[in-house]
Amino acid sequence: MCGIVGYIGAEETAPILIKGLKRLEYRGYDSAGIAVLGSAGLTIRKSKGALKNLEEKIEGELGAGALDGTMGIGHTRWATHGEPSDINSHPHTDVSGKIAVVHNGIIENHAKLKVWLMEHGVSFRSETDTEVIAHLVNFYYKGDLLQAVIGALKRLEGSYALGIICENDPDRIIAVRKESPLVVGAGKGENLIASDVPALLEYTREVYYLEDREIAVLYRDRIEFYNEEGEQRQRESRHVEWDAAAAEKGGYEHFMIKEIHEQPKALRDTLRARIKIAGTKTINLEEIGFDASWAKAERVVIAACGTAWHAGVIGKYAFEKFARIHTEAEIASEYRYRNPIFNPKDIFLIISQSGETADTLAAMRLAKKSGARIIAITNVVGSTLAREADLVMSTLAGPEIAVASTKAFTTQLMCVYLIALQLGRLRGMNDTELAAHIEALEKLPEQAERILAGKEDIQRFASLQFNKSKVFYMGRLFDYATSLESALKLKEISYTHSEAFAAGELKHGPIALVDETTLVTALCTQPALFDKMDSNIKEVKARHAATAVITYDDVDYFDKTADQVFRIPRTLDSLSPILAIIPCQLYAYYCSVLRGLDPDKPRNLAKSVTVE
Ligand code: F6R
């Protein structure tokens, strides 16, 4: 979704804002703009389309007048109210042109506010909900920007992360958030705001994750925090472990392929932190608060969206298998509106890479109200989800910049397995079984490395198949869940029509779509069901589909049936998704590149879906 940056310090601001916006490009956007406050007053430049359009627009102005200044705010917009256009781009200003606002989120009562403001003589220029904020702040402005913002906030309903500057109040940036992420970076003689940490890393690794309804006032030499009533509060900063290099492509052509390659390390880091090695190896989740009290749960409910929901579907299979506990995997956007049945003895497992997905947070809050205990799996330590959950397990994946999730997904799976196994242990799983699973988990990073070493086979296959008009993934049990994620990856970044189905469903409908234009990839890592999968592959072959199989390296069962077999190292059936997804991620990536697309920034998609 939209990206916000802001800078106040001693440096020329416009290039810093542009650089920061570039670091947020992955969030998805369709226009961009900046506002700089300098000796020429407030200067705004905005442009529809890619950031390079804005860069071209301001090229001649840098260091030469209007855009000189050492404080400013910038924005990449992902259109919600009003089409992508120069006028609708942020920053938006009030009538006097002295107050500039950038906004991420949705002002739900903007229509009412607009009417009210128009009755007070305000005329509007854009179709956005954001413009009302600039006019409202101006309405309450009596010489103190902070007080004006506090006044305006009382009128706003909806979600917002805001950066606000004012020509008459030239030495501070006001930042505030509600239900949309905003991070404040504390530098030396300079301070910054951003929607996400990667935009700050070049300047500082000391950050404050703003809390809901918290206001930050950034001066060059200090940052003050206030609640919505204007009462000052003290905050502790957090040190970000990632360095600036973690948010660079590091020699890879795209972030996505870099992140696919980072999976062995991310898996290793995520696992290592939770294994206790004294004597027999055990899983240690007590440090994060997962103790014996959690074993009393009667049900596990997992809620998430998109890829994270797919991790939840695998979680359902894993919890039922390891802990023999009734488990549901819920799509958060459905769950929240369904009037679901709660039991205070439920464990709620909420999975979200960003920790800011609006529907996921809503499902979490609903569950929390019911008295259930919440476990969060997230990649962002200071995210809203991490702050509101009872227990947080971090995926130690490092920043995920590509829109299509890869390393966040496999590390989410690692966390899900660890929790499911530990719950299994608390509910009676024996030592031998647990030890076998830990041993298998520990092998996964190296096994993932081996799959990546053979990526050329996938690339070659993609070069033959990337123009297929339909691609189906099918599998049974854990393979069905991996199929869901494989199909999503492919459609997201290659715009190929791809679907996943439980292989047993083939005859109940999907086979009607199969013809010579179809590629069907069968995931076959559940040996007890190999014969069933073999029949399914034969059924689609008989309808002239091209067929590929992903199975273990010691299995030749499908060699005669499928056109192409890809092999992954042998692991336990229940852990196979972490490995089986890697060839599918690679396939999606290569198809995207072969189709001439940018896999890092797929059309219409945003990295963090902070609005409904
Ligand atoms: C797909 C993808 C999305 C996200 C979904 C939830 O590659 O990344 O489907 O998984 O938008 O996002 P988070 O995990 O941040 O809640």
Side-chain angles (χ1 to χ4, degrees):
M1 303 260 111
C2 310
I4 288 178
V5 292
Y7 174 86
I8 178 163
E11 305 292 325
E12 278 308 320
T13 304
I16 295 175
L17 296 177
I18 297 285
K19 216 190 289 175
L21 292 177
K22 279 190 183 158
R23 295 236 187 263
L24 298 177
E25 272 188 299
Y26 68 90
R27 295 170 65 85
Y29 71 104
D30 40 45
S31 53
I34 57 171
V36 173
L37 192 46
S39 48
L42 189 64
T43 305
I44 301 209
R45 296 289 180 266
K46 1 197 220 184
S47 197
K48 181 184 160 184
L51 260 173
K52 66 171 174 19
N53 298 352
L54 178 64
E55 279 184 282
E56 278 163 20
K57 197 175 229 180
I58 64 175
E59 211 176 1
E61 293 186 275
L62 291 178
L67 276 175
D68 285 358
T70 55
M71 65 176 282
I73 50 179
H75 190 263
T76 42
R77 172 173 186 254
W78 194 84
T80 55
H81 295 69
E83 57 166 14
S85 68
D86 287 7
I87 294 240
N88 287 335
S89 309
H90 302 209
H92 288 283
T93 52
D94 69 313
V95 191
S96 69
K98 289 182 187 253
I99 294 169
V101 174
V102 287
H103 168 221
N104 180 10
I106 289 179
I107 302 304
E108 282 161 9
N109 60 339
H110 73 100
K112 246 199 230 161
L113 289 171
K114 189 169 176 177
V115 171
W116 183 83
L117 284 160
M118 284 165 81
E119 282 165 8
H120 286 77
V122 172
S123 53
F124 280 77
R125 288 156 298 206
S126 77
E127 301 158 272
T128 66
D129 52 336
T130 303
E131 195 181 334
V132 299
I133 306 172
H135 296 304
L136 262 189
V137 173
N138 177 47
F139 185 86
Y140 288 103
Y141 187 77
K142 305 278 176 286
D144 180 338
L145 184 61
L146 175 60
Q147 291 311 318
V149 171
I150 290 171
L153 291 181
K154 293 198 193 330
R155 306 285 306 273
L156 297 181
E157 289 167 19
S159 59
Y160 45 80
L162 298 171
I164 304 171
I165 55 176
C166 173
E167 197 175 292
N168 296 341
D169 205 332
D171 290 311
R172 52 183 182 167
I173 298 176
I174 312 274
V176 57
R177 66 153 268 172
K178 181 181 161 244
E179 294 165 21
S180 267
L182 199 60
V183 192
V184 176
K188 291 199 168 60
E190 58 187 5
N191 292 308
L192 303 99
I193 54 170
S195 298
D196 204 354
V197 167
L200 303 175
L201 288 176
E202 200 177 320
Y203 306 93
T204 180
R205 285 163 72 181
E206 292 309 310
V207 305
Y208 300 87
Y209 293 92
L210 274 192
E211 289 177 7
D212 249 14
R213 300 169 192 275
E214 188 176 38
I215 302 169
V217 184
L218 287 80
Y219 298 87
R220 288 181 171 77
D221 60 348
R222 68 186 191 283
I223 304 165
E224 292 169 359
F225 296 92
Y226 296 85
N227 66 14
E228 258 188 334
E229 304 307 320
E231 292 156 355
Q232 201 168 347
R233 54 203 315 241
Q234 294 308 313
R235 287 291 308 278
E236 294 276 308
S237 67
R238 278 175 182 266
H239 183 72
V240 177
E241 296 301 329
W242 315 333
D243 58 13
E248 304 279 354
K249 284 190 198 146
Y252 287 93
E253 202 180 331
H254 297 103
F255 280 111
M256 183 175 176
I257 191 72
K258 174 181 177 239
E259 288 161 8
I260 290 174
H261 279 86
E262 283 172 344
Q263 289 179 111
K265 178 179 182 316
L267 288 167
R268 211 169 271 131
D269 291 349
T270 303
L271 177 65
R272 198 180 282 152
R274 280 90 193 208
I275 298 294
K276 195 152 80 184
I277 313 188
T280 335
K281 284 184 185 166
T282 50
I283 294 169
N284 179 14
L285 300 185
E286 268 180 40
E287 267 170 46
I288 58 164
F290 192 84
D291 54 25
S293 67
W294 292 82
K296 293 188 197 113
E298 290 176 359
R299 187 174 66 147
V300 178
V301 180
I302 306 174
C305 298
T307 287
W309 176 66
H310 298 154
V313 176
I314 293 165
K316 172 181 165 64
Y317 288 115
F319 275 96
E320 292 192 345
K321 184 162 182 168
F322 302 156
R324 300 303 302 149
I325 186 165
H326 175 198
T327 305
E328 299 297 345
E330 301 278 0
I331 295 171
S333 56
E334 288 290 304
Y335 189 74
R336 61 178 293 198
Y337 295 116
R338 204 177 71 211
N339 191 13
I341 298 163
F342 291 105
N343 175 348
K345 288 197 178 143
D346 288 342
I347 293 179
F348 258 83
L349 181 61
I350 308 287
I351 309 176
S352 172
Q353 186 281 129
S354 61
E356 300 291 351
T357 301
D359 284 319
T360 306
L361 292 177
M364 187 251 311
R365 288 175 183 142
L366 201 63
K368 212 168 177 186
K369 246 196 225 161
S370 80
R373 292 207 283 174
I374 314 285
I375 304 177
I377 296 178
T378 181
N379 199 35
V380 181
V381 189
S383 60
T384 306
L385 176 61
R387 282 202 307 273
E388 294 187 21
D390 296 300
L391 184 161
V392 182
M393 189 159 179
S394 299
T395 47
L396 301 177
E400 190 178 69
I401 309 282
V403 165
S405 190
T406 53
K407 61 177 179 168
F409 174 67
T410 44
T411 52
Q412 282 163 357
L413 289 183
M414 184 61 91
C415 290
V416 163
Y417 286 135
L418 287 166
I419 299 170
L421 283 168
Q422 188 65 351
L423 191 65
R425 176 73 175 148
L426 296 171
R427 290 164 67 93
M429 179 186 270
N430 67 44
D431 290 352
T432 322
E433 206 184 334
L434 182 67
H437 280 87
I438 293 178
E439 196 186 329
L441 285 176
E442 287 185 314
K443 283 187 186 156
L444 290 172
E446 182 274 326
Q447 292 177 320
E449 266 156 18
R450 273 194 272 152
I451 298 172
L452 291 166
K455 65 182 177 209
E456 280 77 16
D457 291 344
I458 308 278
Q459 190 171 16
R460 218 169 294 123
F461 185 64
S463 69
L464 300 173
Q465 303 288 341
F466 72 97
N467 271 330
K468 275 275 176 307
S469 58
K470 284 175 280 180
V471 177
F472 296 144
Y473 290 87
M474 64 177 177
R476 290 166 185 261
L477 307 182
F478 286 94
D479 286 330
Y480 165 53
T482 313
S483 300
L484 291 169
E485 174 59 7
S486 305
L488 180 69
K489 281 298 81 93
L490 187 63
K491 71 173 74 135
E492 279 184 294
I493 58 169
S494 76
Y495 316 151
T496 308
H497 181 186
S498 59
E499 296 299 336
F501 47 87
E505 283 289 292
L506 183 62
K507 288 198 204 61
H508 299 287
I511 200 162
L513 291 171
V514 175
D515 59 18
E516 66 287 350
T517 67
T518 319
L519 167 66
V520 179
T521 297
L523 289 113
C524 301
T525 69
Q526 308 296 302
L529 295 166
F530 277 176
D531 54 340
K532 306 273 177 227
M533 289 305 299
D534 201 52
S535 304
N536 293 139
I537 298 162
K538 284 177 179 149
E539 283 156 8
V540 295
K541 264 197 97 168
R543 272 88 189 165
H544 311 293
T547 55
V549 158
I550 295 172
T551 190
Y552 297 122
D553 51 10
D554 54 359
V555 171
D556 57 11
Y557 201 107
F558 304 99
D559 288 7
K560 290 209 175 77
T561 328
D563 300 332
Q564 177 81 40
V565 177
F566 295 103
R567 294 193 158 78
I568 58 170
R570 171 69 79 159
T571 184
L572 299 178
D573 309 351
S574 47
L575 306 185
S576 67
I578 284 191
L579 299 181
I581 190 61
I582 297 174
C584 302
Q585 294 169 339
L586 288 166
Y587 181 74
Y589 172 77
Y590 289 125
C591 285
S592 173
V593 174
L594 285 158
R595 286 178 164 226
L597 304 170
D598 179 351
D600 285 346
K601 286 179 245 130
R603 69 182 178 203
N604 306 338
L605 293 176
K607 182 70 182 160
S608 176
V609 185
T610 52
V611 294
E612 279 177 52

